[in-house]
Amino acid sequence: DPQSIPKAVVSTQSTGVIGVTDTLSVRAAQIRAEAIMWQPLLRSAVIKEHDYNVIAVYDTMTKEQQMERLKVDGLNIVKTLINLTISICNEKILQHVLVLVNDVLSDKENIKFFTEIENEHTEKGGPISSWEPFLDLLNRPDEFIVNQSCLILSKVVSTGTLRLDAKNLEWFINWQVAQLLQSKTYLHTILASQQLMLRVPEYRAPFYNSTCLDKMLNLLSTRISFQLQYQMVFCLWMLSFKSSHCFKLLDFIKPTAEILRQAMKEKVIRIIMQLYRNLLTNSAAPRKAAELMIQGKVHVAVNQLVEKNWKDEDIKEDVEHVKGVLDEMLQDMSTFDSYLAEVKSGKLEWSPLHTNPAFWRENAQKLNQNDHEVLRMIRILLKDEQDPTTLAVCAHDVGEYVRHYPVGKYNVEKLGLKERVVCLLENDDPKVKSAALLALQKLMLNNWEFMAKTNA
């Protein structure tokens, strides 16, 4: 459901993983429990008598009592809370007021009070705006105040009918982008804010056209908790309902495919499958999306996922849909296309594509296409890849290339592939060493056979 916003979870990830406890909720619980002396604020004229009379009673209630009181006097209470937000400078007391405001918004029905206040402000010249004070608070130095204000603002301008104008929306999105780079403690809150905002269709294009997706792409490529993975992919999923917003999303297939292969949490798998389904259905380039998924070995992952017993029928349906599209694409691809897609994925495995002599007899010369594109990619893998299987298969492929295309030994040497294979003789993995040695033997045998034919 695109309307659902996940509750935070406490991360138990090991050190080095950006795994966010929902710091805001934890801190809010502490602040809510702290008693505030309101009378000194009245005596010093920081707050007005009417606001004092409201808050002095309201703040002594339990949260449940407050929710009941809002049904009777909600508009008056919300006006008082906004007035306090504007008039109070003391950080500790302002934190407390913001927690009370956010508590009001925990019930979506209460958004009507904010809407009425804003309508009074814009149509009748009322004294306060229901959202501007929270936008202003984003410039405060206190992290809790800033992030609680961010979440409140997002709720006010997305849950009901109120909307930010283009200028303030652009400023708010750019502010969120900056927070993605700067805040690890409150990263969960920033993403929750974006999830709320992206539920509103008219907010999606400005978000898509900002630099936010670039920052998310960088974050998804790092070690982050499953909760943050879920929240980011949720944002991508919301964008994927419009075909023109899918082009940038194609860049996210590779990191999300990596997450999918390792994912243990059902909700992470579900949201990635929903994103993929949209990219294969709504995208202006569904074939490109499918090709990138095949390169990322998504078809391997879904073949395993389709065998699982899912409690959620939607996951099963999404997995089967993605599998069906990718299976059809694989049938359409030539054998060499499949090989090329695997090399581009950066992860090679022992399969008939590599071990079948018939494949090499038919396709060895194709490694020369596009200025030896495949050979250059293999060289990069031999230099940078750490996975032993990938290294062994790369070495094997070099050997098969020269065995079935004798002239190719010159390309192997010219492009530095032979040098990279020689380096694998020092690898700690015995299978990598063995594959490298065998490849070099094929290269030398090819040399001898070529020399024998030349001298004959």
Side-chain angles (χ1 to χ4, degrees):
D1 178 5
Q3 300 298 314
S4 63
I5 299 298
K7 295 181 179 179
V9 295
V10 177
S11 170
T12 56
Q13 300 289 339
S14 59
T15 304
V17 177
I18 303 175
V20 181
T21 304
D22 180 8
T23 309
L24 195 78
S25 296
V26 174
R27 184 75 186 102
Q30 298 168 343
I31 292 169
R32 189 182 294 109
E34 295 171 356
I36 299 296
M37 302 296 293
W38 297 105
Q39 197 164 23
L41 296 177
L42 176 65
R43 286 199 301 264
S44 59
V46 173
I47 63 176
K48 296 178 181 179
E49 184 173 359
H50 171 78
D51 292 333
Y52 168 77
N53 291 335
V54 173
I55 193 64
V57 175
Y58 184 76
D59 195 32
T60 60
M61 298 177 178
T62 65
K63 188 175 178 180
E64 291 73 20
Q65 290 170 334
Q66 289 173 350
M67 292 297 107
E68 290 300 314
R69 183 61 184 167
L70 285 165
K71 294 177 182 178
V72 178
D73 195 27
L75 183 61
N76 189 36
I77 293 169
V78 172
K79 283 183 177 179
T80 289
L81 292 174
I82 294 175
N83 284 334
L84 296 177
T85 300
I86 296 169
S87 61
I88 292 172
C89 295
N90 180 284
E91 288 187 349
K92 179 180 177 182
I93 301 176
L94 182 55
Q95 287 176 350
H96 191 88
V97 174
L98 290 173
V99 170
L100 295 179
V101 175
N102 194 57
D103 286 347
V104 171
L105 289 166
S106 64
D107 184 344
K108 292 181 181 179
E109 289 295 316
N110 293 333
I111 193 66
K112 62 188 176 187
F113 304 128
F114 293 82
T115 303
E116 187 172 343
I117 291 168
E118 187 61 28
N119 290 338
E120 286 181 8
H121 176 65
T122 56
E123 297 173 9
K124 303 176 183 179
I128 57 172
S129 165
S130 65
W131 60 265
E132 288 178 7
F134 306 106
L135 187 71
D136 293 339
L137 287 174
L138 298 181
N139 292 312
R140 293 290 289 260
D142 181 81
E143 274 196 294
F144 180 85
I145 290 174
V146 163
N147 285 279
Q148 184 68 89
S149 299
C150 167
L151 195 57
I152 291 170
L153 176 60
S154 299
K155 290 178 180 180
V156 171
V157 299
S158 64
T159 306
T161 58
L162 296 180
R163 297 292 180 262
L164 284 176
D165 59 89
K167 183 179 179 181
N168 283 307
L169 176 60
E170 181 182 7
W171 187 90
F172 188 34
I173 290 174
N174 288 335
W175 180 87
Q176 290 176 325
V177 171
Q179 297 307 303
L180 285 177
L181 294 173
Q182 298 170 12
S183 177
K184 290 186 178 179
T185 306
Y186 287 94
L187 193 52
H188 167 89
T189 303
I190 302 303
L191 291 171
S193 165
Q194 292 176 330
Q195 288 176 272
L196 283 162
M197 299 287 287
L198 286 170
R199 290 162 56 191
V200 180
E202 56 261 46
Y203 289 161
R204 292 172 189 169
F207 184 96
Y208 179 83
N209 293 325
S210 74
T211 59
C212 200
L213 287 179
D214 296 331
K215 312 310 174 192
M216 281 191 174
L217 185 59
N218 291 335
L219 278 169
L220 273 178
S221 301
T222 62
R223 296 181 66 208
I224 56 176
S225 71
F226 76 85
Q227 177 64 24
L228 296 182
Q229 291 172 346
Y230 174 82
Q231 289 181 270
M232 282 190 223
V233 179
F234 184 101
C235 292
L236 303 177
W237 175 52
M238 294 306 299
L239 290 173
S240 68
F241 285 92
K242 189 171 183 179
S243 61
S244 61
H245 290 164
C246 289
F247 290 106
K248 288 184 183 178
L249 301 186
L250 296 178
D251 294 335
F252 288 85
I253 290 176
K254 183 176 180 180
T256 52
E258 185 67 31
I259 291 170
L260 183 64
R261 286 196 292 270
Q262 301 175 11
M264 302 295 291
K265 294 294 180 178
E266 189 168 296
K267 71 175 187 177
V268 176
I269 296 171
R270 180 179 66 246
I271 200 67
I272 292 176
M273 285 294 102
Q274 289 173 328
L275 171 64
Y276 286 174
R277 182 167 187 170
N278 278 4
L279 291 178
L280 293 169
T281 306
N282 302 330
S283 174
R287 184 176 180 86
K288 180 63 175 177
E291 288 175 354
L292 289 170
M293 289 180 198
I294 290 170
Q295 289 177 23
K297 299 190 181 299
V298 172
H299 59 294
V300 177
V302 295
N303 283 336
Q304 297 171 344
L305 294 174
V306 80
E307 300 297 328
K308 288 192 175 184
N309 293 320
W310 300 103
K311 296 179 182 177
D312 187 340
E313 283 296 317
D314 288 340
I315 299 183
K316 182 180 179 181
E317 183 181 338
D318 288 335
V319 169
E320 289 177 348
H321 179 86
V322 172
K323 182 181 184 301
V325 174
L326 295 184
D327 285 348
E328 186 175 334
M329 172 63 76
L330 283 167
Q331 289 175 4
D332 290 343
M333 293 173 68
S334 71
T335 306
F336 185 73
D337 286 337
S338 300
Y339 176 79
L340 181 60
E342 184 178 7
V343 174
K344 285 183 176 179
S345 77
K347 295 292 182 184
L348 276 58
E349 298 174 354
W350 292 112
S351 70
L353 283 177
H354 304 278
T355 58
N356 188 349
F359 169 81
W360 289 104
R361 283 194 298 270
E362 295 174 10
N363 296 289
Q365 292 191 47
K366 292 182 181 178
L367 272 63
N368 302 324
Q369 293 176 353
N370 299 323
D371 192 24
H372 308 98
E373 176 190 20
V374 176
L375 292 176
R376 294 178 187 277
M377 288 190 288
I378 290 175
R379 180 186 63 190
I380 292 172
L381 291 175
L382 286 170
K383 179 177 181 293
D384 299 335
E385 184 56 48
Q386 300 297 318
D387 176 56
T389 301
T390 297
L391 290 173
V393 175
C394 280
H396 167 83
D397 287 3
V398 172
E400 289 299 281
Y401 168 67
V402 297
R403 185 159 78 97
H404 291 89
Y405 181 64
V407 183
K409 71 184 184 66
Y410 294 111
N411 297 330
V412 168
E413 294 185 4
K414 180 181 177 181
L415 295 172
L417 283 160
K418 179 180 177 181
E419 179 183 350
R420 299 312 312 166
V421 173
V422 169
C423 290
L424 294 184
L425 295 175
E426 303 298 322
N427 194 280
D428 294 335
D429 191 290
K431 292 182 180 178
V432 174
K433 285 183 181 179
S434 176
L437 183 60
L438 186 57
L440 292 171
Q441 288 173 347
K442 291 174 185 176
L443 182 60
M444 294 302 297
L445 180 61
N446 177 273
N447 284 341
W448 294 333
E449 290 178 346
F450 182 78
M451 290 172 63
K453 291 179 180 178
T454 302
N455 293 330

